[in-house]
Amino acid sequence: MKYFLYWGCSLEASGANYLKSLKPVCELLGMEFEEIDDWNCCGASVSYAGARDLSIRVLNARNLALAEMQGGYDIIAPCSSCYIQLIRTNHELREDEKLKEKVNSILREAGLTYNGTVNVRHIVDVLYNDVGIDRIKQKVTRPLSGLKVAGYVGCQSVRPYGEYDSKERPRVQDEILKALGAEPVKFPKKMQCCGSGIFLPEMELCMGLVKDILEDAIAHEAKIVSTVCPMCAMNLELYQGRINQLYNTNIQIPIVYLTQLMAVAFGLDLKEGAFLHMNYIPPEYVIKPILMQGGDSK
Amino acid sequence: MISWNNNALRDVLKEVDYAEEIYKCIQCGMCAGSCPLRHHMDYPPRKIFALLRTGNIDLVLNSKSIFLCTSCYSCIVRCPRGIHVMDIMHGLAHYAIKMGKISRKNTATFGQEFWKQIYKRGRVDEKDLSRRYFFSDGIVQGIKNALSMADMGIIMLLHGRMKLLPEKPIKGIKQLRIMLDKAEQESRR
């Protein structure tokens, strides 16, 4: 199974533990990746301050055109912002002939053109629908038995299209967590937005959002939160200290990527495979006792 | 009676993508009810649309609501009339900045710096973006801002989550800029 992996800007920096854990996990599942040569940023969620809609569509159409030209494999976007921008552009170009013509007339300035043949997928979509739960189960050598996980979905991975999961009651991430032997907990704030791209400039307001999400997860007995977006991961993890100061709370819960939990369950090294040491709130203190129960303390 | 400014409304309809959809709004408030930061808004999206339709453009462009969209798509998913609520809020923020009405300076600056990164290199360099954002008000304020966030920077650095080398422009940066310039021209038509 060959794909383009469009990891985007964040996964090279603040979300590096996502990319690093994703690669060995997907390799183990038989997936092969290529990079879209000379890809550009998707525009994420705050570009509107400097650009209008057409510019952002063009930005994404360039990546789609490059992918089409370079082999046309499905594009996997692990970052929810990248995913939504790419898939949205793809939808709009496929559905709106006039827009497609307009965008192509602009792409032609760089000798590019996009015919609409490439598919855009979120990593969770591919894990669930291409790889499948059975295959994931087969690879589990260290089940995460009894680990209560809040599978946080956030916003941009299933909204607005609900391409691979319900827009209001998503369950795919939880199914994967179950396949790893973990126990996904139900918590109502599963899809409450974390503040996404405006977290830094609107920190005080957005800390309130994150506080609500984390308190909800903790109240429903989660010991760890799993995410599938670098923006969610950063916002949920990094500001817990500040939130405690501001609200006089005592929140501390590790935030990991789904792929990090997969790496652990697949028996990969906690450091060299799951890259847990790159997380600020150490997930080891929650994960290691679970592994010890199973007789594996590595 | 509410003030009516027909020309200003016409400009909004031209300058804000999807703005013509405000006429489809039935004022049900689903967008407002679904918005994560609604409690902090002076006018939730529903009221923004009502203000626009009655020509109260200044109130809209000066409102902080238009800068408080987290882009979560909840309003778009739930709007029974299929209105691109989020995009209209984005478009209004873009237009307000253009008109020099910037009610949330930090958010406007952050977004503008983000776009500049893309225009400059084709990719975003998180540490350069933060630096430019912190220092957008000059060096003294910049040092204060940077110091107040230094703990975060150190955490990221120590955990290998900061790219140390500066981001280089993509190979096709010149063509990308030509495309983005053309897209901007086309948007104005």
Side-chain angles (χ1 to χ4, degrees):
Chain A
M1 289 184 288
K2 199 167 183 178
Y3 302 90
F4 280 120
L5 184 64
Y6 174 71
W7 56 76
C9 308
S10 288
L11 267 66
E12 293 190 339
S14 57
N17 38 348
Y18 194 6
L19 184 60
K20 282 186 189 244
S21 58
L22 183 147
K23 281 182 172 169
V25 162
C26 291
E27 202 173 292
L28 208 67
L29 291 167
M31 292 157 71
E32 254 185 86
F33 293 137
E34 267 193 39
E35 182 177 357
I36 303 170
D37 183 44
D38 211 37
W39 57 270
N40 55 262
C41 170
C42 68
S45 47
V46 293
S47 286
Y48 62 81
R52 286 188 57 178
D53 199 57
L54 183 63
S55 304
I56 297 168
R57 293 311 130 228
V58 165
L59 208 52
N60 287 279
R62 179 178 179 273
N63 286 330
L64 292 167
L66 289 174
E68 192 173 64
M69 196 171 73
Q70 293 169 20
Y73 316 113
D74 286 9
I75 301 174
I76 297 181
C79 166
S80 299
S81 274
C82 296
Y83 169 71
I84 201 60
Q85 287 290 16
L86 273 176
I87 198 167
R88 177 174 178 175
T89 307
N90 211 24
H91 264 276
E92 288 179 3
L93 294 179
R94 281 174 177 179
E95 283 156 19
D96 185 344
E97 230 4 87
K98 258 170 75 182
L99 178 69
K100 191 168 141 194
E101 190 31 57
K102 199 184 224 177
V103 166
N104 269 327
S105 78
I106 296 170
L107 289 181
R108 275 195 286 274
E109 299 277 336
L112 293 170
T113 179
Y114 181 55
N115 299 308
T117 63
V118 178
N119 296 314
V120 179
R121 320 273 305 274
H122 195 278
I123 183 71
V124 177
D125 172 10
V126 173
L127 288 172
Y128 187 72
N129 290 309
D130 292 13
V131 175
I133 291 296
D134 287 344
R135 202 176 158 81
I136 293 173
K137 272 187 190 157
Q138 280 169 17
K139 295 287 174 193
V140 173
T141 59
R142 280 195 302 211
L144 307 175
S145 310
L147 183 62
K148 293 196 169 179
V149 188
Y152 176 66
V153 174
C155 31
Q156 299 177 339
S157 59
V158 291
R159 287 197 292 255
Y161 298 110
E163 200 82 5
Y164 61 90
D165 204 350
S166 161
K167 288 181 248 186
E168 301 283 359
R169 290 175 186 275
R171 53 171 196 92
V172 168
Q173 187 180 182
D174 285 353
E175 293 295 325
I176 297 173
L177 288 169
K178 274 188 220 160
L180 306 179
E183 237 180 87
V185 302
K186 280 188 179 155
F187 66 116
K189 299 271 180 204
K190 195 184 190 66
M191 304 202 67
Q192 153 93 56
C193 180
C194 68
S196 184
I198 64 166
F199 198 102
L200 188 60
E202 297 292 353
M203 203 184 305
E204 238 178 273
L205 309 188
C206 293
M207 284 202 293
L209 298 177
V210 169
K211 172 184 162 280
D212 290 349
I213 297 163
L214 296 179
E215 282 186 334
D216 189 36
I218 293 166
H220 290 83
E221 294 182 353
K223 297 287 175 265
I224 194 165
V225 178
S226 155
T227 70
V228 288
C229 167
M231 213 47 79
C232 299
M234 184 163 68
N235 295 344
L236 294 187
E237 185 186 29
L238 216 55
Y239 296 90
Q240 289 183 22
R242 282 178 187 232
I243 290 169
N244 288 335
Q245 268 178 16
L246 185 68
Y247 291 97
N248 204 14
T249 47
N250 194 17
I251 297 169
Q252 200 196 12
I253 183 165
I255 314 293
V256 288
Y257 290 105
L258 176 65
T259 48
Q260 291 184 294
L261 289 180
M262 292 177 82
V264 173
F266 290 177
L268 298 175
D269 189 77
L270 297 189
K271 213 170 165 185
E272 297 305 314
F275 295 90
L276 297 182
H277 64 290
M278 293 179 79
N279 292 40
Y280 164 49
I281 299 169
E284 291 93 338
Y285 80 88
V286 176
I287 287 174
K288 275 190 178 161
I290 298 283
L291 299 183
M292 305 255 278
Q293 280 168 23
D296 187 342
S297 58
K298 191 167 64 173
Chain B
M1 186 62 197
I2 301 160
S3 67
W4 173 260
N5 186 338
N6 211 11
N7 287 337
L9 178 59
R10 204 171 299 144
D11 287 343
V12 168
L13 292 173
K14 199 176 146 215
E15 298 276 344
V16 175
D17 297 309
Y18 298 102
E20 70 284 356
E21 293 180 358
I22 60 169
Y23 291 105
K24 294 204 290 186
C25 175
I26 53 171
Q27 294 287 299
C28 71
M30 185 54 104
C31 49
S34 306
C35 180
L37 288 180
R38 62 187 175 278
H39 300 304
H40 302 286
M41 291 183 167
D42 38 9
Y43 305 107
R46 175 184 74 84
K47 286 191 181 167
I48 291 282
F49 293 175
L51 286 170
L52 287 174
R53 294 205 297 210
T54 47
N56 285 272
I57 311 303
D58 268 351
L59 275 182
V60 169
L61 295 183
N62 285 311
S63 99
K64 64 177 177 179
S65 313
I66 57 177
F67 286 100
L68 291 185
C69 171
T70 63
S71 312
C72 78
Y73 284 85
S74 294
C75 51
I76 293 193
V77 164
R78 293 180 185 161
C79 174
R81 300 284 286 150
I83 298 171
H84 290 75
V85 184
M86 179 193 94
D87 296 289
I88 299 175
M89 298 295 271
H90 288 175
L92 287 167
H94 178 84
Y95 183 51
I97 293 171
K98 198 173 151 189
M99 301 296 282
K101 296 176 192 288
I102 302 172
S103 61
R104 299 296 275 189
K105 192 171 164 298
N106 288 353
T107 303
T109 306
F110 185 72
Q112 284 173 298
E113 289 296 339
F114 196 95
W115 181 251
K116 280 187 206 160
Q117 296 271 320
I118 296 174
Y119 193 82
K120 191 170 156 192
R121 307 193 183 85
R123 290 185 196 175
V124 171
D125 183 338
E126 286 178 351
K127 64 179 177 311
D128 188 48
L129 170 65
S130 317
R131 187 171 59 85
R132 286 175 192 278
Y133 166 65
F134 291 146
F135 284 87
S136 61
D137 266 342
I139 188 132
V140 176
Q141 188 57 41
I143 291 169
K144 274 189 203 163
N145 293 342
L147 282 176
S148 76
M149 289 299 286
D151 51 336
M152 300 288 176
I154 291 166
I155 289 167
M156 295 309 252
L157 188 68
L158 291 180
H159 290 81
R161 285 159 69 177
M162 195 186 279
K163 203 176 176 182
L164 295 174
L165 295 171
E167 187 77 62
K168 281 190 229 133
I170 59 168
K171 289 180 274 179
I173 185 65
K174 276 189 185 154
Q175 291 96 322
L176 179 68
R177 284 187 202 149
I178 293 170
M179 289 192 281
L180 294 178
D181 289 342
K182 197 171 174 204
E184 202 193 326
Q185 281 168 19
E186 290 272 331
S187 298
R188 287 206 211 103
R189 278 187 201 169

